[in-house]
Amino acid sequence: MTKHVHHQMDLTKNQTLVMTALSNANGPLSAYTILDELRDHGFRAPLQVYRALDKLVEFGLVHKLESLNAFVACQHPSCEGETKESVQFAICEKCGSVRELVNDSLIKAVKGLAKEIDFSLRESVIELRGVCSACKNGGH
Amino acid sequence: MTKHVHHQMDLTKNQTLVMTALSNANGPLSAYTILDELRDHGFRAPLQVYRALDKLVEFGLVHKLESLNAFVACQHPSCEGETKESVQFAICEKCGSVRELVNDSLIKAVKGLAKEIDFSLRESVIELRGVCSACKNGGH
DNA sequence: ATCTTGATGTTATATTATAACATATTTGCG
DNA sequence: CGCAAATATGTTATAATATAACATCAAGAT
């Protein structure tokens, strides 16, 4: 009855390769960027990437950024899928950094809204677009 | 010094055609669906649609649904751009309907979160995915 | 008038994603 | 074990979404 808490062990070869590529990246990657990075490891076709991504997203190890058509490794220690409707992203349009957030007030507000309109929520896509703290202050 | 409140008058021919197509539709349309609908009116190339859409989105008359790669006419009487960071969508994955929402608690929560992490918010993408009230109750 | 700006037209191409089908590998179970 | 079912992989082709680059046209300003 021991529930799996880490999928790492269960990942197939392709899933592991894609997961590693995303984990090593310091930002979101497009499927085709991943493909290019994995050609050395035998990847030849987009489907190899997309199929692995589908599973990784399903496992909650990877998130898709809808407003970027790109993918990021989950930034939480062990993101296990129950956060699917409860994760937010802050995307900096200056430096491209993505910060993953879990904000209770926001989650509550979303669930409240869904309830208010009698909407059965499966997932919520919440992406803040703007300029991150570092870019605002430090760099230009 | 009279500020324009409706862009309707200012729209160009192509913008008007695209806006009309979206307004007549009872749901979101992809750029290529719009293109097909406007071939009779002389449209030949995707850019004609995308350029019009860019402007309409800029004016706040049309919203892009990032998780669908599709576009909807703004459902508010006179959506004038200041709502750009303050609109949400409930997208039914059963019937495809899209409901546009403006929820103050949610907007507050988003702004609060942005402030909390010192993020300069330009726009927020908030799309609830699930099953709408009508589909849950009425149909199957 | 002509200059600038914005809109349009057109061809080509880039980017993102899936369909369809064949083969291989793993897993469950009698 | 041996076989069936399910899952993963490989491969080719194609669909769907979006932009680059460049030519032309129309409207308003000085």
Side-chain angles (χ1 to χ4, degrees), chain A residues 12 14 47-48 51:
Chain A
T12 66
N14 287 2
L47 259 195
Q48 296 177 283
R51 287 201 279 228

Side-chain angles (χ1 to χ4, degrees), chain B residues 12-15 44-48 51 55:
Chain B
T12 67
K13 190 182 64 145
N14 286 2
Q15 287 161 17
R44 312 291 311 274
L47 259 195
Q48 296 177 284
R51 287 202 278 228
K55 286 299 181 183

Side-chain angles (χ1 to χ4, degrees), chain B:
Chain B
M1 213 294 199
T2 54
K3 222 180 155 204
H4 280 247
V5 178
H6 295 101
H7 284 279
Q8 290 292 58
M9 314 308 187
D10 305 8
L11 297 184
T12 67
K13 190 182 64 145
N14 286 2
Q15 287 161 17
T16 304
L17 286 166
V18 170
M19 190 67 219
T20 301
L22 280 171
S23 297
N24 291 340
N26 52 1
L29 298 179
S30 79
Y32 279 78
T33 301
I34 296 171
L35 174 58
D36 286 339
E37 290 194 5
L38 294 180
R39 288 203 190 274
D40 296 343
H41 296 272
F43 272 46
R44 312 291 311 274
L47 259 195
Q48 296 177 284
V49 177
Y50 281 108
R51 287 202 278 228
L53 284 171
D54 280 350
K55 286 299 181 183
L56 293 170
V57 168
E58 185 185 320
F59 296 156
L61 297 171
V62 165
H63 303 293
K64 177 170 187 182
L65 301 170
E66 298 289 350
S67 69
L68 290 179
N69 294 319
F71 301 83
V72 280
C74 180
Q75 290 167 26
H76 290 102
S78 65
C79 199
E80 281 307 314
E82 37 278 325
T83 54
K84 188 153 199 181
E85 46 176 65
S86 312
V87 174
Q88 306 91 43
F89 300 94
I91 300 172
C92 179
E93 294 172 333
K94 208 157 187 181
C95 70
S97 72
V98 172
R99 180 166 166 188
E100 184 177 333
L101 306 156
V102 177
N103 183 275
D104 280 337
S105 321
L106 192 37
I107 295 168
K108 261 190 204 136
V110 169
K111 289 187 175 167
L113 173 56
K115 187 160 195 179
E116 197 178 307
I117 65 170
D118 190 30
F119 185 85
S120 180
L121 189 65
R122 184 186 61 79
E123 180 189 350
S124 62
V125 173
I126 304 184
E127 301 178 9
L128 281 59
R129 317 252 345 185
V131 180
C132 74
S133 175
C135 285
K136 247 197 316 182
N137 305 319
H140 45 206

Side-chain angles (χ1 to χ4, degrees), chain A residues 30-129:
Chain A
S30 78
Y32 279 78
T33 301
I34 296 171
L35 175 57
D36 286 340
E37 290 194 4
L38 294 180
R39 287 201 191 277
D40 297 342
H41 295 272
F43 273 47
R44 313 292 309 274
L47 259 195
Q48 296 177 283
V49 178
Y50 281 109
R51 287 201 279 228
L53 285 171
D54 280 351
K55 287 298 179 183
L56 293 170
V57 168
E58 186 185 319
F59 297 157
L61 297 171
V62 166
H63 302 294
K64 176 170 187 184
L65 300 170
E66 297 289 350
S67 69
L68 291 179
N69 293 320
F71 301 83
V72 280
C74 181
Q75 291 169 24
H76 290 101
S78 66
C79 199
E80 280 307 315
E82 39 278 326
T83 53
K84 189 153 196 181
E85 45 176 65
S86 312
V87 175
Q88 304 92 43
F89 301 93
I91 300 171
C92 178
E93 294 172 333
K94 209 158 187 183
C95 70
S97 73
V98 172
R99 178 164 168 189
E100 184 177 332
L101 306 158
V102 177
N103 183 275
D104 281 336
S105 322
L106 191 38
I107 295 168
K108 262 191 203 134
V110 169
K111 289 186 176 168
L113 174 55
K115 186 161 194 177
E116 197 179 308
I117 65 171
D118 190 29
F119 185 86
S120 179
L121 188 65
R122 182 186 63 77
E123 181 188 350
S124 62
V125 174
I126 303 184
E127 300 177 9
L128 281 60
R129 317 253 345 188

